[in-house]
């Protein structure tokens, strides 16, 4: 039973409402001009978020999975297996190296090759491992969870038995093919635009591209005379790239519109919070009574 297991008293809960009001007004003062209160409110918000994240990491990861097993049996490294060493002592060593390198980066850089430079170089090892794991998980998750299911769903032909089992109409399987072809068209156009978009634009303007051209354009340039098939392929790629570019603009506009709408929703929620939640709190009533009593 910790002191933070029970609920907070009513006044402290109301103090959180009033503190949120004060910090919101401090950050909102940035609309008038950039000032010290707005920056202070941002620093408090970021610091509170990082502190909360550190507490969550300590309570859910570091203490139950690393420090508690090591403290329970400090001499376990003498009889530990290779898997135990890699799961407990190696993460502890890499974490200490990263912490030491992070603290060392806060100091001025050394002039000569000493232990401080060696500590910075050793701290790059856990940082590289962490970055590689994060990128590997992100890329594999994107391929397995997004790209491959989309491609499989676009190429798979639904069986009539499956369509009938779902209760759909008889032409539902044929009706999904235009959607799948449109998905492949848009996805391929965006990929072509991201890969060869600047090259296509420069070719249309007649400028030389500093980047390497696509294999199709390289083969077309290597040929001494124009080829109808190559010209058809280049035209098709140019049209496909234009579709992908415009779809990318449309997607960016939709994302921006949703972002603006979400910000308006947050602003309305804050306004409702200021007008209804804060005045009903006990602490606000107490402060208001004290101000009225002091004013009279």
């Amino acid at each position: 039973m910790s002191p933070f297991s029970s609920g907070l008293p009513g006044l402290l809960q109301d103090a959180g409402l009033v503190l949120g009001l004060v910090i919101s007004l401090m950050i909102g003062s940035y609309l008038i001009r950039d000032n010290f209160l707005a920056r202070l409110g941002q620093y408090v918000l970021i610091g509170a978020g990082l502190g909360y994240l550190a507490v969550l990491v300590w309570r859910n990861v570091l203490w139950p999975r690393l420090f508690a097993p090591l403290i329970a049996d400090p001499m376990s490294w003498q009889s530990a297996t290779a898997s135990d060493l890699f799961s407990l002592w190696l993460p502890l060593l890499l974490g200490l190296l990263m912490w030491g390198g992070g603290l060392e980066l806060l100091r001025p850089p050394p002039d000569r090759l000493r232990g401080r430079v060696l500590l910075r170089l050793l701290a790059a090892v856990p940082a590289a491992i962490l970055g590689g794991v994060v990128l590997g998980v992100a890329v594999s998750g994107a391929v397995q969870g997004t790209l491959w299911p989309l491609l499989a769903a676009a190429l798979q032909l639904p069986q009539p038995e499956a369509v009938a089992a779902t209760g759909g109409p008889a032409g539902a399987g044929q009706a999904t093919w235009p959607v799948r072809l449109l998905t492949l068209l848009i996805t391929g156009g965006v990929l072509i635009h991201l890969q060869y978009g600047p090259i296509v634009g420069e070719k249309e303007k007649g400028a030389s591209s500093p980047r390497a051209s696509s294999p199709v354009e390289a083969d077309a340039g290597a040929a001494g005379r124009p080829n109808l098939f190559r010209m058809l392929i280049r035209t098709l790629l140019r049209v496909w790239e234009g579709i992908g570019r415009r779809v990318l603009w449309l997607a960016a506009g939709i994302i921006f519109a949703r972002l603006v709408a979400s910000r308006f929703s947050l602003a309305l929620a804050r306004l409702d919070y200021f007008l209804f939640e804060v005045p009903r709190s006990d602490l606000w009533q107490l402060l208001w009574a004290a101000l009225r009593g002091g004013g009279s």
Side-chain angles (χ1 to χ4, degrees), residues 147-228:
L147 295 179
W148 179 251
L150 285 176
L151 182 61
L155 297 178
Q156 183 180 4
L157 178 64
Q159 300 297 328
E161 296 81 3
V163 175
T166 56
Q174 289 79 7
T176 57
W177 270 105
V179 178
R180 295 177 178 181
L181 291 178
L182 183 62
T183 302
L184 287 178
L185 179 66
I186 292 175
T187 305
V190 171
L191 293 177
I192 292 175
H193 169 68
L194 294 178
Q195 182 66 26
Y196 301 118
I199 299 177
V200 173
E202 290 178 356
K203 291 296 183 180
E204 291 178 354
K205 295 179 181 179
S208 60
S209 174
R211 296 173 50 188
S213 60
S214 62
V216 176
E217 292 175 351
D219 294 340
R225 58 185 183 278
N227 188 288
L228 181 61

Side-chain angles (χ1 to χ4, degrees), residues 26-292:
M26 290 170 58
I27 298 178
S29 64
Y30 184 79
L31 296 175
I32 302 175
R33 56 172 298 182
D34 188 9
N35 55 79
F36 170 74
L37 293 178
R39 292 193 297 269
L40 179 61
Q42 295 174 11
Y43 297 156
V44 170
L45 183 62
I46 295 174
L50 291 178
Y52 181 71
L53 179 62
V55 170
L56 287 181
V57 170
W58 172 260
R59 292 188 58 182
N60 299 328
V61 179
L62 293 180
W63 176 254
R65 298 188 181 184
L66 181 60
F67 290 102
L70 292 178
I71 294 176
D73 190 5
M75 302 304 294
S76 61
W77 61 273
Q78 296 180 352
S79 59
T81 60
S83 61
D84 295 335
L85 291 176
F86 278 105
S87 62
L88 293 178
W89 291 100
L90 184 60
L92 179 62
L93 177 61
L94 294 178
L96 292 177
L97 285 177
M98 183 172 289
W99 272 100
L103 294 176
E104 180 59 36
L105 289 176
L106 298 177
R107 304 171 59 185
D111 298 332
R112 292 182 295 177
L113 184 61
R114 294 180 179 177
R116 295 176 56 186
V117 178
L118 180 61
L119 181 60
R120 295 190 179 193
L121 294 178
L122 291 178
V125 175
I129 294 176
L130 182 61
V133 170
V134 171
L135 290 178
V137 171
V139 172
S140 62
V143 172
Q144 297 179 5
T146 303
L147 295 179
W148 179 251
L150 285 176
L151 182 61
L155 297 178
Q156 183 180 4
L157 178 64
Q159 300 297 328
E161 296 81 3
V163 175
T166 56
Q174 289 79 7
T176 57
W177 270 105
V179 178
R180 295 177 178 181
L181 291 178
L182 183 62
T183 302
L184 287 178
L185 179 66
I186 292 175
T187 305
V190 171
L191 293 177
I192 292 175
H193 169 68
L194 294 178
Q195 182 66 26
Y196 301 118
I199 299 177
V200 173
E202 290 178 356
K203 291 296 183 180
E204 291 178 354
K205 295 179 181 179
S208 60
S209 174
R211 296 173 50 188
S213 60
S214 62
V216 176
E217 292 175 351
D219 294 340
R225 58 185 183 278
N227 188 288
L228 181 61
F229 178 74
R230 292 193 179 95
M231 292 177 60
L232 181 62
I233 293 297
R234 283 190 295 176
T235 304
L236 178 62
L237 288 178
R238 188 179 299 111
V239 173
W240 203 354
E241 184 270 337
I243 295 175
R245 181 172 66 251
R246 286 160 178 80
V247 170
L248 194 61
W249 292 347
L250 178 62
I254 294 174
I255 293 175
F256 181 74
R258 294 187 62 180
L259 181 63
V260 172
S262 64
R263 292 301 181 268
F264 274 115
S265 300
L266 288 176
L268 292 177
R270 288 291 90 188
L271 184 60
D272 179 78
Y273 165 75
F274 293 153
L275 295 179
F276 297 101
E277 293 295 331
V278 175
R280 289 185 300 186
S281 62
D282 297 336
L283 183 58
W284 182 265
Q285 297 293 336
L286 181 62
L287 293 176
W288 180 251
L291 289 176
R292 291 182 60 183

